[in-house]
Amino acid sequence: IIVGMSHTNPTTQWSPRFPQILLLGGSGQLGFELKRTLAPIGQVHAPSRSEVDLSDQDRLVRCIRNLQPVAIVNAAAYTAVDQAEREPQQADALNHLLPKLLAEEAERMHALLIHYSTFFLNDAATTEIYTESQPTNPLNQYGLSKRAGERAIADACSRHLILRTSWVVGAYGHNFMRTILRLAASRSALNVVGDQVGAPTSAPLIADTTAQILRQYLNAYGKYGSSAESEHSQQTEFPFGLYHLTAGGATDWHALATHIIQFAHESGRQFMLKPDSIQRITTAEYPTPARRPQNSLLNTTRLQKHFNLQLPDWQEGINYLLKIGL
């Protein structure tokens, strides 16, 4: 197995000697972690925006067909939730039309497509923890675009995994944890919404889980994804489909912000902002262009059962990120 990244022109014909993995969105907070976790599995190709513009469908198709990847991992997305209310077409292009194209190409070459989706498909009409079988009812344009992407993948690609997640935080990129730490350096008081419930999920956890699932897929279907290559594949029915992937437990944004600052102070970092200076407010007191579900909890039983995984509570991932980031 080749460990590491290739920075060769992505339209070049690749050697079929090793499993080829195409990663889109490699510069994001999740993509950064995926480059780490997928590297031991195969040869990871994460073309930059200058190499492959995702809006250039012809160039993207050439890249995919030249590479002939065993798996396409799509971490690219339009994630500006509020901005999507003003730019629904741009959100749809990345969250719906791009996954549709990837699904069609994956189906054509019998490749696996791994795609990440969101809790924003829920409307919080219930206080229950959402399962994969419950109907969706997005409250905003971002959620609508992501639901359209999910449906397009399910319609076009037989070998697909859609991983819905929530409240993603990482050591890099833009996320709630990094915003709180930035504000804590210059503010002595902060108002944070406390009536939205979810499970903060670290990018490393999502990336580690993705790698575990991909390994299981290659064990079932052979090194290059062909069922003929595995002596067990004829008896193995890989559990493709939709899964929820979040950390365990539950919290709210206010409690999460308090945890972050408390941990930082206990670790010796001195911020202007103190834990008891973070005030709890309601969603109504902090209006945003896009409506948000108040209940973002996703049931992960199906994922843990089918892939024999155990997902840790959210505090473990947050504390890990804080330890390496403070």
Side-chain angles (χ1 to χ4, degrees), residues 147-187:
R147 182 174 67 177
E150 283 193 8
R151 290 176 172 176
I153 290 171
D155 288 343
C157 183
S158 55
R159 295 190 185 187
H160 73 267
L161 290 167
I162 299 170
L163 304 177
R164 281 187 195 154
T165 189
S166 72
W167 293 22
V168 180
V169 291
Y172 306 92
H174 300 288
N175 58 68
F176 182 82
M177 184 191 77
R178 287 170 57 82
T179 298
I180 292 297
L181 291 174
R182 175 175 55 81
L183 294 175
S186 58
R187 296 192 185 184

Side-chain angles (χ1 to χ4, degrees), residues 45-63:
H45 306 280
S48 65
R49 186 173 301 179
S50 62
E51 291 173 319
V52 177
D53 184 345
L54 297 181
S55 65
D56 186 342
Q57 292 196 355
D58 290 340
R59 184 169 173 81
L60 178 58
V61 167
R62 288 198 301 272
C63 171

Side-chain angles (χ1 to χ4, degrees), residues 7-306:
H7 297 286
T8 313
N9 189 315
T11 59
T12 302
Q13 183 70 43
W14 301 104
S15 166
R17 188 178 174 192
F18 300 101
Q20 307 294 314
I21 301 170
L22 176 61
L23 171 61
L24 301 179
S27 61
Q29 64 175 348
L30 177 55
F32 177 89
E33 299 293 346
L34 285 166
K35 285 186 284 190
R36 170 184 60 83
T37 62
L38 298 180
I41 300 174
Q43 190 167 355
V44 180
H45 306 280
S48 65
R49 186 173 301 179
S50 62
E51 291 173 319
V52 177
D53 184 345
L54 297 181
S55 65
D56 186 342
Q57 292 196 355
D58 290 340
R59 184 169 173 81
L60 178 58
V61 167
R62 288 198 301 272
C63 171
I64 296 170
R65 294 183 182 182
N66 286 337
L67 181 60
Q68 292 287 307
V70 65
I72 301 171
V73 182
N74 181 34
Y78 184 108
T79 58
V81 177
D82 289 322
Q83 194 169 329
E85 296 299 301
R86 303 187 301 273
E87 299 179 345
Q89 290 183 327
Q90 289 89 327
D92 192 72
L94 274 178
N95 295 342
H96 168 211
L97 299 182
L98 172 63
K100 180 176 185 292
L101 173 67
L102 298 178
E104 292 168 349
E105 289 302 307
E107 182 69 11
R108 190 188 67 81
M109 64 183 63
H110 306 294
L112 171 66
L113 173 60
I114 301 178
H115 174 77
Y116 302 95
S117 193
T118 175
F119 68 94
F120 273 97
L121 274 65
N122 303 331
D123 60 6
T126 175
T127 57
E128 299 176 2
I129 300 178
Y130 284 86
T131 64
E132 291 88 346
S133 62
Q134 287 180 272
T136 58
N137 184 29
L139 297 175
N140 52 48
Q141 292 295 329
Y142 169 71
L144 288 168
S145 69
K146 293 296 285 187
R147 182 174 67 177
E150 283 193 8
R151 290 176 172 176
I153 290 171
D155 288 343
C157 183
S158 55
R159 295 190 185 187
H160 73 267
L161 290 167
I162 299 170
L163 304 177
R164 281 187 195 154
T165 189
S166 72
W167 293 22
V168 180
V169 291
Y172 306 92
H174 300 288
N175 58 68
F176 182 82
M177 184 191 77
R178 287 170 57 82
T179 298
I180 292 297
L181 291 174
R182 175 175 55 81
L183 294 175
S186 58
R187 296 192 185 184
S188 58
L190 197 63
N191 295 331
V192 180
V193 170
D195 60 356
Q196 295 176 20
V197 180
T201 305
S202 74
L205 174 61
I206 299 171
D208 288 339
T209 303
T210 300
Q212 289 288 343
I213 293 172
L214 182 53
R215 284 192 181 94
Q216 292 182 35
Y217 170 78
L218 292 177
N219 287 338
Y221 280 87
K223 191 174 182 181
Y224 301 107
S226 170
S227 60
E229 292 180 283
S230 173
E231 62 183 17
H232 304 294
S233 63
Q234 300 303 321
Q235 293 77 39
T236 300
E237 183 163 344
F238 192 81
F240 300 108
L242 168 66
Y243 293 91
H244 289 167
L245 168 52
T246 68
T251 189
D252 59 64
W253 293 117
H254 174 270
L256 175 57
T258 302
H259 177 89
I260 291 168
I261 298 305
Q262 183 69 43
F263 188 98
H265 280 283
E266 291 176 355
S267 300
R269 285 292 303 271
Q270 298 301 314
F271 287 113
M272 289 181 62
L273 184 66
K274 302 297 188 284
D276 56 5
S277 298
I278 305 174
Q279 300 301 312
R280 181 184 296 271
I281 62 172
T282 66
T283 299
E285 293 175 281
Y286 188 74
T288 56
R291 294 177 60 197
R292 273 129 169 108
Q294 290 189 280
N295 172 22
S296 301
L297 294 174
L298 302 176
N299 188 308
T300 61
T301 301
R302 186 168 184 262
L303 179 94
Q304 297 188 75
K305 176 183 177 181
H306 281 285

